Amino acid sequence: MKTPDLPHIHPHKLRHTFATKLRVQGAELEDIRDALGHEKLDTSLIYAHADKEKLRTMIDATAPKPSLWQRIKKSLFRLREYRIKIPATITPELVGRDEDVKKIERLLQQGVSVIVTGPTGIGKSFLIDKLRYPKKVLEIDDHKEFKRSLAACLVHLLGSEEEPGRQAVANLIYGTDNPDALVVKTSKESMPNLCRLLCDACGRKEYILKINDLESVTPSVVRILEMLKDHFVILTTARTVKMNNSSFLWDFEKIDLKPLSRPDSLRLFHRLTADLELQQVEWIQNKIHDTASGNPRMVMELAERIRQEPVIDAFVVDEICNNYLGRQTREIDISPVLLLLFGSLMILRYVGRETGDQELTFIGGAVLVMMMFARYFLKEGRRKGM
């Protein structure tokens, strides 16, 4: 919890720690060499690192000491100090997604199509952008203009100078292999015809078709995806897909991204704010995690918001988190609560009938009737704005 960015621990690092602690305690290099089983002192020096605290103390000793008045002024008016912060470009790594990444890359290597799901801000698009793809990739970034995207993919394949055979196919079909001319000619094709030409232009499972966000896919696009899914390895993302539009997903592997665990959430926040001077670090980290509930996008947005403050302490972070609109719009699944309540009411009615207690039976029946109309009450009471 105190060192959320602690790297992976293995026995070899324990040897470094062991040798360094011996050196800090004043052990001779010859003794360290014998303890580690080395033949040369130079090898032991690789393991026995210098004590950073001791070096820091030596460096501080050479710096001029502040006067008594300067120390008193600093302790009394610390919150009024304005620190200079160097702007940093936030490009966090895939924290807490190692197993998901490995599984997706393995499935793509095997030629299995994958859909990555999860709530808003969970990092679906960020994850698929950071993958190491085992095959060549064709990317469709706008499924609303699916025909135009298919035509662009076809032009890319037929106009590739690295594939003379495909240029010959382009000349055979359209009488030219010039990319600009191909754009004009392919724009006149229908979507099913573009789909067939795209499949003919490359080998089966040769390419990964990367489609970002199929949340609101239309029935016409579903029919095209059903034609493409047997020829391409498809990688896509969606928060949810309607059942009547999910027929193309039957042989897909679903990867459902979960919120980050507390250690991973703290590790991500630490990487985003490692260059800042934070007061009450542990309290701030826990506040960020509780506010974001492990949502990576929320953690990143809160970290970026905190960077704008001249002084970062518990009071500032508490105000930022309490006013953060993301926590007010977070999706909440109350279905388990409703199921538990429904089951409790059924038990209540059963106990009332068995014991002859008419009051329990009446209460259970009345609440069940109310639950039947609960959806309409919730709809009327739903938040109309933020």
Side-chain angles (χ1 to χ4, degrees), residues 121 291-293 295-303 324 326-327 330:
T291 302
S293 295
N295 188 294
R297 174 180 167 182
M298 293 185 182
V299 175
M300 293 175 63
E301 290 180 346
L302 288 169
Y324 178 58
R327 66 184 299 184
R330 185 185 299 130

Side-chain angles (χ1 to χ4, degrees), residues 109-159:
Q109 178 66 45
Q110 295 171 349
V112 179
S113 295
V114 177
I115 180 170
V116 182
T117 61
T120 302
I122 204 67
K124 302 182 292 294
S125 300
F126 186 77
L127 185 145
I128 67 174
D129 287 339
K130 296 297 181 181
L131 293 175
R132 292 175 294 182
Y133 289 95
K135 302 181 181 183
K136 293 175 285 187
V137 178
L138 292 174
E139 183 172 359
I140 295 179
D141 55 1
D142 186 6
H143 71 271
K144 295 180 181 179
E145 294 289 341
F146 208 77
K147 178 181 176 181
R148 184 180 301 176
S149 299
L150 285 178
C153 292
L154 183 60
V155 170
H156 172 75
L157 291 179
L158 296 181

